[in-house]
Amino acid sequence: CDEQELDAAAETYTPTAENLAARRWFQDARFGVFIHWGVYSELGRGEWVMNNQKMTVDQYKPLAERFNPTKYDPAAWVALVKKSGARYITITSKHHDGFALWDSKTSDWNVVDATPYGKDLLKPLAEACKAQGIKLFFYHSHLDWTHPDYFPRGRTGQHSGRPDDGNFDRYLDHMDAQLAELLGGDYGDVAGIWFDGWWDQLNRSPENPRATHVDWRLGQTYRLIHGLQPAALVGNNHHVQPFPGEDFQMFERDLPGENQGGHSAHAVIGDLPLETCDTINKSWGYNASDHSVKSTRQLVHYLVKAAGRDANLLLNVGPKPDGTIQDEFQERLLAMGKWLDVYGDSIYGTRGGPVAPQAWGVTTRRGDAVYIHVLDPPKPGPDGWSKLAGCEKLSLKELGYFDPSEKLEWRRGADGALEVRLKQADEPAIDTLLVGQL
Ligand code: FHN
């Protein structure tokens, strides 16, 4: 494990003023769109298809010869993201199959050299983002199922048909060279790098839940990124406590502090900005048979619950191989945008509120304004009123409805508790909001 090197990095990494400003921007943004896209999209069975179907490199690589996203319209993607109310995109520059979605010179396993499409996918996306005021992050996989030097194999990718050897340092040089390409200027100001796959080499022990079989050289890679673009935020989906050099902490399919997701049992919330990610259906990469689309209510609730825990939501879409985004995803993103058009003030630029998350909902705060988000009103008593647990000591001036059309009445009970009552017995609004001043 590289604990020593990481400790050394801890002493040397001091985020710059630009980096700290970028972290504040990130927290203010609160909502981003995640995009999983690559040659695996061709098969429509998710981004793990190579591993799940035990495909060798030789069986998998010809997929690239079919990948020809002629309907890819990055300006339309970004316009959709803008309409969803999201402020940034995080796209897979390279997923676990090692395929590069840009014109990489580090190997031929990239969209320009290996596909009939033959054009860089990330450059026009970066340009469209810049033109429309959306920031762009790159998801970059540490683990790699096709690179000859990714050895030892780790927990996944055992079926690749590659020889059982490789030079791991050479692999890490390849990774760093790729990152230097992405951050070298051709893709403009990169908002950040979102790493994933560190966990492939986990060798956890009770004494050290962060021990790995290899030295990932994280310190060196993080220094490279911050050296090239100090404002670029480094995050790593390693599901453990943040390492030095990281600028935000993410929780996959898990609200920070809940530890409900299988991955984050060892995740302890640190003091960095937080992000959680989730899917609209159940899949990250395009899955033609997954129609289990979450409702707008569920998705808005997740966004609000994340904001109440001081975290962003990164909501995923897996575009089709032709470059289009399926209708169900577009509908949901547009519905999120409609909701944010009305209620955005209670989300953007806020931090977690003064009341800890409760079963009924959360609070968010901007300056002295406190927003009380009643997502699932508590079970009412015989008179129809119910207490908002946790708000007993919350004293707010000018408490009132955030949106006067809502169906919820409120009052201070005899003991000072905040009580609410549904005006009608029908389905409550997605989020009934009260606002007051500290
Ligand atoms: O294995 C990946 C998976 O394909 C996907 O990219 C998600 C997104 O958070 N992360 C990994 C699992 O932790």
Side-chain angles (χ1 to χ4, degrees):
C1 173
D2 47 349
E3 295 275 316
Q4 270 182 344
E5 195 224 345
L6 289 166
D7 288 345
E11 283 159 27
T12 53
Y13 180 57
T14 309
T16 59
E18 297 154 89
N19 186 284
L20 294 174
R23 291 184 190 187
R24 284 192 294 277
W25 166 84
F26 180 69
Q27 288 183 299
D28 289 349
R30 280 293 175 245
F31 183 33
V33 169
F34 211 175
I35 301 180
H36 277 70
W37 200 35
V39 293
Y40 48 75
S41 311
E42 277 297 332
L43 296 177
R45 277 180 275 163
E47 76 289 355
W48 270 69
V49 65
M50 178 180 177
N51 187 76
N52 292 349
Q53 305 288 311
K54 300 187 173 33
M55 295 169 83
T56 62
V57 174
D58 287 346
Q59 287 166 332
Y60 187 78
K61 281 203 164 175
L63 264 186
E65 291 157 27
R66 287 161 51 181
F67 189 64
N68 193 13
T70 50
K71 294 189 182 157
Y72 175 51
D73 180 350
W77 279 18
V78 179
L80 174 67
V81 168
K82 246 188 121 90
K83 280 195 195 148
S84 78
R87 301 270 162 100
Y88 61 97
I89 291 174
T90 304
I91 187 167
T92 48
S93 44
K94 171 188 108 147
H95 203 265
H96 305 333
D97 64 0
F99 183 75
L101 260 61
W102 77 100
D103 184 13
S104 178
K105 306 295 179 217
T106 59
S107 88
D108 289 346
W109 186 224
N110 70 73
V111 66
V112 175
D113 294 317
T115 75
Y117 188 69
K119 284 174 282 184
D120 191 320
L121 293 169
L122 300 185
K123 199 176 276 181
L125 182 65
E127 286 161 4
C129 282
K130 188 173 180 200
Q132 299 187 49
I134 292 287
K135 292 202 191 259
L136 184 61
F137 289 72
F138 294 128
Y139 165 114
H140 214 74
S141 174
H142 284 296
L143 92 86
D144 195 310
W145 291 328
T146 56
H147 196 281
D149 280 320
Y150 185 77
F151 190 85
R153 293 278 138 72
R155 297 192 296 171
T156 69
Q158 302 290 342
H159 314 289
S160 64
R162 287 171 290 174
D164 274 346
D165 55 27
N167 181 331
F168 196 68
D169 263 320
R170 205 159 56 195
Y171 170 70
L172 295 176
D173 290 344
H174 158 83
M175 275 272 291
D176 285 350
Q178 289 195 323
L179 291 164
E181 289 179 344
L182 291 169
L183 292 149
D186 285 359
Y187 303 88
D189 290 338
V190 175
I193 302 292
W194 204 107
F195 286 108
D196 201 355
W198 172 95
W199 38 262
D200 193 45
Q201 299 286 347
L202 249 180
N203 185 26
R204 173 173 283 153
S205 66
E207 302 75 51
N208 186 358
R210 302 194 296 175
T212 50
H213 289 289
V214 299
D215 177 355
W216 279 112
R217 288 192 347 207
L218 292 186
Q220 182 174 326
T221 299
Y222 293 174
R223 270 194 298 278
L224 169 81
I225 295 167
H226 289 134
L228 287 167
Q229 295 203 23
L233 301 178
V234 171
N236 198 324
N237 189 30
H238 41 46
H239 320 305
V240 293
Q241 232 171 307
F243 289 112
E246 293 172 7
D247 303 305
F248 67 102
Q249 182 180 7
M250 80 272 282
F251 294 76
E252 181 178 322
R253 293 194 203 271
D254 209 4
L255 291 164
E258 297 284 287
N259 290 358
Q260 301 280 334
H263 290 313
S264 44
H266 294 264
V268 177
I269 301 178
D271 52 8
L272 298 175
L274 307 174
E275 185 187 66
T276 176
C277 57
D278 207 347
T279 46
I280 294 182
N281 54 4
K282 287 185 178 150
S283 313
W284 300 104
Y286 175 58
N287 188 332
S289 57
D290 181 354
H291 300 291
S292 54
V293 177
K294 295 180 184 75
S295 67
T296 302
R297 184 182 183 85
Q298 282 175 299
L299 296 172
V300 170
H301 276 202
Y302 203 65
L303 171 70
V304 174
K305 286 177 182 178
R309 286 163 176 82
D310 213 10
N312 293 9
L313 169 61
L314 182 62
L315 185 61
N316 183 74
V317 298
K320 293 181 179 181
D322 66 3
T324 59
I325 294 176
Q326 67 198 69
D327 291 347
E328 296 102 312
F329 292 170
Q330 297 207 31
E331 282 159 21
R332 288 298 181 270
L333 289 179
L334 294 175
M336 298 288 283
K338 282 218 167 97
W339 188 85
L340 279 161
D341 279 347
V342 179
Y343 300 100
D345 277 355
S346 69
I347 301 292
Y348 298 125
T350 63
R351 299 293 180 267
V355 176
Q358 303 288 330
W360 52 260
V362 296
T363 56
T364 54
R365 175 184 171 178
R366 187 190 320 92
D368 281 344
V370 172
Y371 301 90
I372 302 174
H373 299 257
V374 185
L375 298 170
D376 296 302
K379 214 167 171 277
D383 58 356
W385 289 94
S386 50
K387 284 184 188 178
L388 290 186
C391 292
E392 297 79 10
K393 292 194 184 131
L394 181 66
S395 147
L396 296 176
K397 289 175 273 187
E398 299 157 42
L399 187 64
Y401 292 114
F402 182 70
D403 172 0
S405 69
E406 293 301 359
K407 302 169 184 167
L408 200 75
E409 291 178 90
W410 64 272
R411 70 178 189 191
R412 281 284 175 193
D415 54 359
L418 191 56
E419 299 181 348
V420 293
R421 182 168 72 172
L422 275 182
K423 283 186 194 165
Q424 294 159 21
D426 59 0
E427 167 105 345
I430 287 184
D431 181 6
T432 305
L433 268 158
L434 302 176
V435 62
Q437 305 291 319
L438 278 175

